[in-house]
Every structure is written in C-alpha cells, then in structure tokens.
Amino acid sequence: MGENGGFLFPNDLHILWQLMIVMYPYVTGLVAGAFILSSLYHVFHRDELRPIGRLALVASLGFLLFAPFTLLLHLGHPERCYNTLVTPNLSSAMAMFGFIYAGYMTLLLAEIWLVHRQDIITLASRSTGIKRTFYKCLALGVYDVSPESRKVDHGVLLILAGIGIPGAAFLHGYVGFIFGAVKANPWWSTPLMPIIFLCSAIVSGIAMVIILYSIGLKFSNRKIDAPCMQSLARWLWMFVLISITLELLEIMTLAYEAAEEWEIIGPLLGDQLAFSFIGIQIFLGAMVPIILLGIVVLMSRYLTDQIRNTLCFVASLLLLLQVFAMRWNVVIGGQIFSKSMRGFREHYTPGLFDKEGIALAIAIFVLPLLFIILFNRVLPVFEQPDEQLSTDTGTPSE
Amino acid sequence: MPTIPVSNSECGGGCGGAPSAGTRRDFLKQGAKALGASVATIILCDMTDLTKMAEASGATPQRANLFADGYDWTKHSYVYLVDIRKCIGCGSCVRACSRENNVPPAHFRTWVERYRVSRSGEAVIDSTNGGMDGFEPSQTGLDITKAFFFPKLCCHCTHTPCVQLCPVCASYRTVDGVVLVDETRCIGCGYCVQACPYGSRFIHPETHTASKCTLCYHRITKGMTTACVQACPVEARMLGDMKQVGDKVAEIIATQRVLILQPELLTDPNCYYLGLTKEAR
Ligand code: SF4
Ligand code: SF4
C-alpha cells in the first residue's frame, strides 16, 4: 500500500533516481545556460555583455568539469562507466553522454583558450621562473599577437561559439530527452521535455552568471557595469517568461485533456508536490522574479544602479532555486507515483552523508565555484577595460 | 578530455617566440576530423536491430554460460500465458521463483495482485509481499461484485523499452525471445527500471545491477519449464513455444481471446492473459 492507501507495484516502493539525478540536469543546465549566454556576446555581438563574456565561459567549464560526478555517484557500478563508450547502445539517449560530453569539453576548452590567448602571452612575458614556464605551456607554442592573428582568433572563435550554440542546446536538450523518452512515465513522456529543460537551463545559466558577476566584482571592489546588468536582466526576464509559459502549458494541456494520466498527475501536483511545485517552482521561484525583473526591465529609468543590482541579484537567487525545484519536481515527482498509476511511494528525503546525499550535492555545486576562483587567479575572468592586459603585446623570449 | 598538442620545443625552454599559427590551425583541423568521424560512426551504425546490437556488444547467453550444449535458440520462440480465472492466489509461484532464482527479499521477479472490484467500479488492490505468503481474507467495506488474483511477471516484450534505453547493451533480448540482463556489464543506472511500464525490474540490493525475470532461462534451455509454471497447482501459468508444432499455449493464443497488458504502449508483450478485465492494469 502506498502513502495514500493506493496500490503500488511491489517493486515500486522506493524512489530509485535520487538527489544526484536531480543534480545532473541542474548542473548540465548551468553549463548550457552559461555557454549560450556567452554566445550572445561572442556570436551575436551583444557588446553590452562584454563584461561577462569570459566569466560565462569559465563558469560553463567549471560546472562541466564536475557534472559527471553526479552520474558516477548515482551508478551502482561507476567503475564500469567506460562501457558507455566501449559498447554504447546507439538507441539509448543516456549512452550519448560520454560522446556529447567529450565533444563539448573540447569545444569549450578551445574557445576559452582563444579568448584568453592574448592574456596568456602577456602574462608569460611578464612573469619569471616556474610561472613563466606555466604560462608558456598554456600558450601552446603560439605567440602571435599581431592584428592579423587576432582577426584569425576572432574568426575561429565565432565558428566555435557558433557550433557551441547547437552544441549546448543538444547537450541539454538531450538531458530532457532522457526523461521525455520514457513512455512508461506520463509525467516525463512529453516531446516538450527537451525544450522545457533547455529554457530553464538558460534561465539558470544567466542567473548564475549574474550572481557570480555581482559577487566577483564586489570582492574585487569594482563597479558593476550598468548596461551589462540591464541587458542580463532583460535576457533573463525573457527566458523566464518563455520557460514558465512552457511549463504551465504542459500542465494545462494535461489537465484539460484529463486523459488517464491526469488521474495520477493531478493529485501529484496538487498534493504530493504542492510545496515544491506550486510553492517554489511556480510562485516563489517564478512569479516573484518575474515581477522583480519586470521592474528592472520596464522601469529602468527610475532605478538607481544599487536598486537594479539588488533586484537582479535577488531574482537570480530565486531563479536558481526555481530551476532546482523544477528538476526536483521532474525527477523525484516522476517517481513518486507507482507505475500502477494508483498510488504514491514513500516520501523521499535525501540523507546528509549518503552517496547520493546532501553533502556531496553541495560539494558538486561548490567545487565549480572554487574552480572559477582558481581560474581567475591564473587568468583574468572579468574583463578589465581600464587595465586591459592585452594592450601590452610583449612576446616572451628567453 | 581533448588532447591539446603541446609543442615541446616551446615549453621546454627553447622558445624563440616565433609565431606558429600553423599549430593552431592543425589542432582545429584534427579536432574537426575527429568530430566528423564520430558523427559518421553514429549515423552509419545499424540502429534498429537491438538483438544484433546486443550480440555485437558481447551480451550473449553463451557468455553467461546459460546455454546447455546443443541448444539452438533459433528453433524456439517463448511465450507465456496466464489464466487469471484459474489463479487461487496461493503464492506458490512467487515462493518458487524466489527460491529458484535467489530473489532478494522485498523484490519480485514475479508477483500476484489481488483485485476486488465493487459494483460502482471501485477497485481495491493489494499485493502484500508480492503475494508470496498468499492473501489474508479481509473486509473492504464495499459491495464487491468481482474479485480475482492477477499474477504478473516480465512480459518479455518484443519492442522492449528497457532494452532500447539501456546505455551499455547490458539488457538484451535473446533470439528465442527472452529479455535478459548481463550482470557483468550493467552499470546500475536504473534507466531500464524507469523504462519498464510493468514494474518488472528492480536494482538488486547486493549486486547493484538490474535484475528481473529471466523466464528461468537456465531451465528452459535445458528443456524444463519455469519454476513458477511448475509450482502452480492449478495450471494458471503456462509456458509455450510458438515455434513448436502443436504447442498448447500457441494454440490458445491463436484461437482464444487473449489480451496483453498496456497494449497502447506498443511494447508487444509475449505474456498473454486469459480473463483480463478492464480494471486490471
Ligand atoms: S515487461 Fe518490462 S522488463 Fe519485461 S521486457 Fe517489457 S519492458 Fe522489459
Ligand atoms: S541498470 Fe543496467 S541493465 Fe538497466 S539500463 Fe542501466 S545498465 Fe542497462
């Protein structure tokens, strides 16, 4: 018997995909979202986004580095994970992870290298000893900083970022597809799933960059660029609106059609997920930020920088929570009901120090942030218009 | 991880500061080639024949030592038949399966559900401990007009979502129509458990790999029947072989009104039911 006395299949008593599988789409979403944001600058030349162009890329890399740990911690046999590369099942969405991941990592590293190439050379020429050798290794033997070479860099960057957009969309759309392709589960099985995942990924990516940008500049005692923040707010607002519209449309269709699956999804949303779905995902996580960002976008003339930054920061924090709640409601929500469609499983609360517990989930979220800090110590992540490193075009020599 | 060609001469201290845009171009070229090759492999591969793919990946019954000598899997096509009208809910099949296959407690390769349906169509369903200990009589407080026991097991679907979704080809379908898991290959991701619409799979708490009904493959390939079929005192369960002339089950499937579970999902199960009613799912 289930939570509500309904019938559960005897093998359906526990939630199988736990916190790490919630973290997996969350973290890859941050990767894809931050990348797409950086592309707005690199490909679509939204010059007002220049201050976060690098930060977005590096944030994307940081989260990409730690994304596989979510899956590895979940697997019953992580030591066999190479099987997905050796004997991949080409009809399985999940099997593609390794390939998409490797491809995306290559692309991202190449792009980051190109973006920082001039700085690497400058830093190599300015430093001495081990540091110098280190930067010279990073330069990969290319020391050309002539205007022509910059042009080539720029062209290649454009192409990479151009490939990266469908790449990011694919990386995350396919995560949505992993769920959307499970026809046994009416709460997952919808062709909208990839696009819903992608939109909320972009939301989380932009929100994360706003937070990193705000905090990063605060700590380095610099001023937040107002046009940049304004533009970020505008993009974020647009994507939240699209994302929440899609999420609601999906449910409205289900409710309106009131087909067999609504018998279980109705009580799931209204009862089992009342807090995390209605409370967090819809109200606190979406409606409140939509209003806050609406104020920033529509009433920008009347806002001081301070107010704008605060509104954006708070909205971003709430949106990070919203996207997490959305992932939770999909992954955990989709397993709360038994496949008998007649009852709900026992409640799931993640343990603190389990393999799939809260502590490790926090670690996976925090480590990328540490990576960004570390990266910033090696190469500047924030554009520095006044003390532009690259203006110094010295070439290191022995 | 990408391999970024590091030019040793420069890193090792012999850098003359010479511009070498060529290195970069080569690097990009090589990257593009590698990407092209992997895309081509994916497109060119045969993505339809899952059994072939499973075999290609090495997940064969020979590998798991399941075959008896001289067994030819092309000469069989197994089907299973449950006659709901006969089942008395004794749970002998569940106990037999559990013993035969060493099924961990609270997990089930086969189980029995009890349905009690009232005049107004309300259904009270239970399956305490998978029906292993039979069913205690109990009151529902409803005006029950229809009651039956409903044995279940993996349907060994022909178009099986669990095999389709397994990322490493650990789940596969044998040529004689049995869906199996190669425990030495399974990474324990649980995707197949999510994919099975019938709740037939579980992750084994000790091996951490997917586990399910094997149709007693180790027995049927030696000419025996499954443990559940053998244990059933009322012949509510039957194993058949569509490729044997005059097979009793094949005859029933061909001539009687058999139904399958959740036909709308088009998984094409090979487990048939006699006496299925609309409330049963
Ligand atoms: S019943 Fe479930 S486990 Fe068995 S073949 Fe069908 S989908 Fe797979
Ligand atoms: S749990 Fe094992 S058999 Fe099931 S999909 Fe994952 S790897 Fe395949």
Side-chain angles (χ1 to χ4, degrees), chain A residues 170-182:
Chain A
F170 206 69
L171 172 75
H172 206 68
Y174 118 93
V175 176
F177 184 75
I178 286 186
F179 296 97
V182 178

Side-chain angles (χ1 to χ4, degrees), chain A residues 1-291:
Chain A
M1 287 276 170
E3 283 287 325
N4 59 348
F7 172 66
L8 307 178
F9 284 154
N11 283 328
D12 270 358
L13 303 185
H14 311 288
I15 302 264
L16 176 64
W17 281 0
Q18 305 186 346
L19 185 58
M20 283 304 152
I21 299 292
V22 179
M23 288 299 288
Y24 166 56
Y26 189 57
V27 173
T28 50
L30 291 168
V31 173
F35 184 89
I36 287 177
L37 177 62
S38 83
S39 298
L40 287 175
Y41 167 62
H42 292 295
V43 181
F44 300 110
H45 303 296
R46 310 304 311 184
D47 284 332
E48 66 277 11
L49 292 178
R50 186 190 164 102
I52 52 88
R54 293 173 175 199
L55 172 65
L57 276 181
V58 175
S60 189
L61 177 65
F63 286 104
L64 191 63
L65 281 175
F66 293 94
F69 290 103
T70 55
L71 287 183
L72 290 175
L73 282 167
H74 163 74
L75 291 185
H77 282 276
E79 78 284 2
R80 294 182 190 162
C81 66
Y82 65 89
N83 277 351
T84 58
L85 298 171
V86 185
T87 56
N89 177 1
L90 297 176
S91 68
S92 166
M94 201 183 267
M96 293 301 113
F97 177 77
F99 298 104
I100 296 180
Y101 182 84
Y104 200 67
M105 180 63 94
T106 315
L107 191 96
L108 201 54
L109 284 176
E111 205 176 322
I112 289 180
W113 182 72
L114 280 171
V115 168
H116 287 95
R117 204 174 68 82
Q118 310 278 340
D119 287 351
I120 294 174
I121 297 169
T122 313
L123 285 165
S125 70
R126 277 189 192 168
S127 45
T128 51
I130 297 182
K131 227 172 153 191
R132 183 182 176 85
T133 319
F134 174 71
Y135 281 113
K136 280 166 76 178
C137 288
L138 281 186
L140 303 182
V142 187
Y143 296 106
D144 189 356
V145 283
S146 61
E148 301 88 73
S149 84
R150 289 185 185 211
K151 236 195 210 147
V152 175
D153 280 2
H154 202 76
V156 177
L157 197 63
L158 195 71
I159 296 172
L160 286 182
I163 301 174
I165 298 174
F170 206 69
L171 172 75
H172 206 68
Y174 118 93
V175 176
F177 184 75
I178 286 186
F179 296 97
V182 178
K183 66 178 166 185
N185 190 320
W187 180 227
W188 289 347
S189 166
T190 154
L192 267 187
M193 202 52 106
I195 186 86
I196 292 182
F197 263 63
L198 188 58
C199 285
S200 55
I202 298 176
V203 169
S204 67
I206 301 180
M208 182 48 98
V209 169
I210 289 183
I211 288 172
L212 293 176
Y213 181 56
S214 311
I215 297 180
L217 290 197
K218 182 119 205 145
F219 276 105
S220 53
N221 269 328
R222 271 182 287 153
K223 216 171 131 297
I224 290 174
D225 185 74
C228 176
M229 191 54 103
Q230 183 67 30
S231 169
L232 284 171
R234 220 178 306 125
W235 286 106
L236 185 55
W237 196 49
M238 181 178 98
F239 279 109
V240 190
L241 287 173
I242 298 179
S243 164
I244 198 74
T245 308
L246 286 174
E247 283 164 29
L248 289 178
L249 268 180
E250 158 74 14
I251 288 154
M252 275 166 56
T253 317
L254 277 173
Y256 190 79
E257 285 180 353
E260 195 185 11
E261 60 263 23
W262 186 249
E263 277 179 24
I264 194 82
I265 292 177
L268 173 76
L269 297 180
D271 192 14
Q272 303 282 321
L273 293 180
F275 175 70
S276 61
F277 182 76
I278 302 174
I280 307 282
Q281 186 181 337
I282 301 296
F283 183 71
L284 182 68
M287 294 309 160
V288 176
I290 284 176
I291 295 169

Side-chain angles (χ1 to χ4, degrees), chain B residues 41-63:
Chain B
T41 326
I42 290 171
I43 294 172
L44 290 177
C45 277
D46 178 5
M47 300 184 54
T48 47
D49 192 343
L50 295 169
T51 304
K52 231 193 266 164
M53 240 159 56
E55 280 185 292
S57 72
T60 56
Q62 285 97 330
R63 188 169 171 230

Side-chain angles (χ1 to χ4, degrees), chain B residues 162 165-168 170-171 181 185-193 201 203 210:
Chain B
C162 54
L165 293 179
C166 173
V168 295
S171 278
V181 180
R185 181 181 298 278
C186 172
I187 56 175
C189 64
Y191 203 12
C192 56
V193 182
R201 289 179 170 246
I203 295 289

